[in-house]
Amino acid sequence: MIRLEKRAQPSQFWTFATPFLAVIMTMIVGGIMFAALGSDPFEAIRTIFWDPLFSEQFAAYSRPQLLVKAGPLILIAIGLSLGFKAGIWNIGAEGQYIMGAICGAGMGLAFYPSESFIIFPLMILAGALGGWAWAMIPAILKTRFGTNEILVSLMLVYVAEAWLASVSSGLLKNPEGMGFPGSRNLQQYPASANLEIIQGTGMHYGVLTAFIAVIFAYVLLSRHILGFQIRLTGEAPRAARFAGVNPTRIVFLCLGLAGALAGMAGMFEVSGPAGQITIDFNSGYGFTAIIVAFLGRLHPIGILFAGLLMALTYIGGELASLMLGIPSAAIQLFQGMLLFFLLATDVFINFRIRLDSGEAA
Amino acid sequence: MDLSSINPVLLIASLMVSATPILLAALGELVVEKSGVLNLGVEGMMITGAICGFAIGVNTGSPVLGFMFAAICGALLSLAFGILTQYLLSNQVATGLGLTLVGLGLSSLIGKPYEGIKSPTLQKMELPILSDIPIVGPMLFSHDPMVYFSVALVAATWAVLKYSRAGLILRAVGESHDAAHALGYKVVRIRLLAILFGGACAGLAGAYISLVRVPQWTEGMTAGAGWIALAIVVFASWKPWRVLIGAYLFGGVTVLQLNLQAAGAKVPIEVLSMSPYLITIAVLVIISARGNHGAPAALGKIFHASR
């Protein structure tokens, strides 16, 4: 009989190995899925994971896209990982992302058409504040009334989406837009445009912020007392309380940071790659970032690589739907499966498998 | 705004229809949580049930077969959750989220060819004699069979949990898995059965949306109903009859909101369409401010029998 035996210490080896194992398993099962959809599985996997980076035909377009897509994912996932480490389940990053985008774009459009170097920093601030404020709702309700933050933060995603629908055809609608819903294009308004820092690399200010966030989170978690308190709260809540960690403060810190980072990500997206507030400018980054956070082992460096990998599946998925006619929904399933296999293989970190005859001890 | 255009009889009748999917899903989740497992994948199982039921309903022309297949699909998806959380001891919150993401992807993948088709729907089942009572008859007793089934399921769940030995064991596992294990009950097996039941209920709930309530397939059509079902379990303090009340209250809000939109209320449409979610939050706050009564003690905790 197969039986699990608890390890005395979590396995270092498996902590690193399971994300790779999960990716390989996803490729195998995904390949079977693509075969069932009538595509050559090897070609499909190559199109998703190889062609965006190395194909002569597409790489010139795809490589910059890698950073464009990874930027928001990493930024959001860094914020989420702090909360997940502390056992605070903020799954409403999508809502915080939308609110950040609305506030940031609103700030920029309020100044239209004046030109000043201060407008863009103000927009970043507004985006961060918008996301922060949206995340404060579950934080306050959790600390004050003990309300479940999972459900509240998720409900607020739907509220934010309704809000987005409202402003894109109301408050922020482009007055010169011939009646089409959607705001002015922020890319065409130089003071608010989130342009590439280095031409042709996809490296815009949001990506730069994401990299800074990675470094910041790394220092916070490994060198700062707050980071220690976050980890302690997650791993041993009682011990944390005895050690004088204020749980309310941790909730506010984790949700607030996650909200601010998600809000900034939304603002960078709407003033850069998306260009304008539209009813569906958000592409589910807030949810995919949850996968990124777990795939990156809730570790900042891990999240950096996981974000790049997830961005690759987005770009590769687009390419595959273009070249091979694989439905884009298949990629969503592909990403979900990745999380599933990761959680399944994570068992090896804390347990080892023993085979024995099965009689009770 | 013309409030007289809102007919109270039709309002109650459509309330029951709009509450049924949430009721079914919440009831399934109640049993799962009573066994001490928190499955956050209700939304994913519902939407998968919705498309599986719809596809079979369209292809065979039989909504009943559609419902059966939806229940099987929901249960299969929940089996994946069960294996991960019960045998591979994964984190229940993360796995539930994963299940939702997988379900959303899977459903839109299967659903592509079915967009814009109308499905066969369930016939109304007028209960003899009862449906002839004026006002009350058309309000309560002239619905499709699933509405009656969902109410009957509430009664059955209540009776089984409260009076039967199986219900007692299920609750014992949910309150203290170690004690139940020490008494010789198969904790993992019992939880797996509860999870399967929850999955089947979520599948039925989804199929009800795509086969009866709408009846059409659109991507992401459950629109958070699975999450609302989770909130209703908390609202109900883990009691079956209160799940019924919660689901009907919520159904009432949804239907009223739609009726107000149609009647041209002065309130902006966005405010009306976000109202169900805001009300859910408000209700959660009120319930949690009172203290968390009735949550199974072992809810969300991982069980591993060491020896």
Side-chain angles (χ1 to χ4, degrees), chain A residues 33-102:
Chain A
M33 177 179 81
F34 294 136
L37 287 168
S39 313
D40 176 10
F42 296 101
E43 202 185 344
I45 297 291
R46 204 200 66 215
T47 312
I48 294 172
F49 288 98
W50 184 263
D51 282 359
L53 294 178
F54 303 111
S55 132
E56 282 170 18
Q57 201 181 347
F58 307 110
Y61 166 77
S62 301
R63 271 188 212 147
Q65 281 292 309
L66 193 65
L67 287 181
V68 170
K69 294 254 188 322
L73 286 175
I74 294 170
L75 202 52
I76 301 170
I78 288 283
L80 291 180
S81 69
L82 297 177
F84 292 170
K85 263 192 188 301
I88 298 158
W89 298 96
N90 170 19
I91 57 170
E94 184 78 5
Q96 293 141 24
Y97 172 85
I98 292 173
M99 291 315 276
I102 293 176

Side-chain angles (χ1 to χ4, degrees), chain A residues 195-360:
Chain A
L195 298 171
E196 286 184 327
I197 301 169
I198 308 163
Q199 272 299 319
T201 56
M203 178 85 180
H204 61 64
Y205 285 98
V207 181
L208 183 68
T209 313
F211 289 153
I212 295 170
V214 168
I215 299 166
F216 169 80
Y218 183 80
V219 174
L220 178 76
L221 286 173
S222 58
R223 293 280 178 272
H224 198 279
I225 184 74
L226 270 178
F228 173 72
Q229 290 181 345
I230 288 172
R231 284 187 288 143
L232 189 62
T233 308
E235 278 163 32
R238 265 170 69 81
R241 289 263 287 286
F242 287 132
V245 179
N246 182 349
T248 307
R249 202 163 137 230
I250 298 292
V251 170
F252 274 102
L253 180 81
C254 289
L255 274 165
L257 269 176
L261 290 178
M264 275 202 265
M267 180 270 153
F268 285 124
E269 186 70 15
V270 83
S271 59
Q276 59 177 154
I277 291 273
T278 50
I279 192 157
D280 53 359
F281 88 91
N282 58 318
S283 28
Y285 285 147
F287 291 116
T288 314
I290 297 172
I291 307 178
V292 172
F294 279 110
L295 192 63
R297 305 257 70 119
L298 306 182
H299 186 284
I301 310 293
I303 288 171
L304 182 68
F305 288 111
L308 288 168
L309 178 74
M310 207 51 94
L312 187 63
T313 63
Y314 266 114
I315 303 160
E318 278 170 22
L319 206 58
S321 84
L322 196 72
M323 302 298 296
L324 308 172
I326 291 172
S328 50
I331 297 307
Q332 207 185 339
L333 182 58
F334 201 76
Q335 294 172 341
M337 279 193 317
L338 189 54
L339 178 57
F340 242 61
F341 284 125
L342 181 75
L343 292 166
T345 48
D346 269 0
V347 71
F348 297 123
I349 296 175
N350 285 314
F351 295 89
R352 60 168 68 88
I353 288 184
R354 281 264 181 268
L355 298 168
D356 61 18
S357 48
E359 79 271 17

Side-chain angles (χ1 to χ4, degrees), chain B residues 19-238:
Chain B
T20 299
I22 305 170
L23 176 60
L24 283 168
L27 204 59
E29 180 66 15
L30 176 110
V31 172
V32 178
E33 292 192 14
K34 271 285 180 197
S35 79
V37 179
L38 180 66
N39 185 354
L40 291 181
V42 184
E43 178 82 5
M45 300 185 295
M46 259 179 100
I47 192 107
T48 307
I51 184 57
C52 291
F54 187 83
I56 293 296
V58 166
N59 287 331
T60 64
S62 155
V64 178
L65 279 179
F67 272 108
M68 282 162 63
F69 191 67
I72 293 169
C73 286
L76 276 180
L77 209 55
S78 73
L79 183 64
F81 172 87
I83 290 171
L84 252 67
T85 55
Q86 301 307 307
Y87 290 109
L88 300 175
L89 310 173
S90 67
N91 180 310
Q92 293 180 4
V93 174
T95 314
L97 284 175
L99 191 65
T100 292
L101 295 173
V102 167
L104 288 172
L106 187 65
S107 65
S108 61
L109 182 63
I110 304 173
K112 267 283 168 283
Y114 292 97
E115 273 170 5
I117 307 177
K118 254 187 98 63
S119 75
T121 186
L122 287 177
Q123 293 302 312
K124 284 232 162 88
M125 197 167 91
E126 314 256 331
L127 295 188
I129 308 170
L130 287 173
S131 65
D132 294 333
I133 309 170
I135 302 175
V136 181
M139 212 191 267
L140 301 179
F141 300 113
S142 105
H143 285 290
D144 55 84
M146 280 308 281
V147 173
Y148 307 127
F149 173 75
S150 65
V151 178
L153 198 60
V154 174
T157 309
W158 167 75
V160 167
L161 282 178
K162 185 153 184 182
Y163 295 111
S164 80
R165 186 170 174 76
L168 185 67
I169 294 169
L170 184 87
R171 284 186 289 141
V173 167
E175 293 299 334
S176 168
H177 44 221
D178 292 325
H181 177 68
L183 286 173
Y185 295 120
K186 305 282 183 211
V187 173
V188 169
R189 199 173 301 162
I190 291 163
R191 285 189 167 164
L192 212 54
L193 287 174
I195 291 168
L196 285 175
F197 176 79
C201 282
L204 285 178
Y208 191 82
I209 297 182
S210 65
L211 284 173
V212 179
R213 212 183 122 189
V214 175
Q216 234 185 14
W217 164 253
T218 41
E219 211 180 303
M221 70 185 308
T222 47
W227 295 101
I228 288 165
L230 280 161
I232 283 182
V233 176
V234 180
F235 165 81
S237 315
W238 291 267

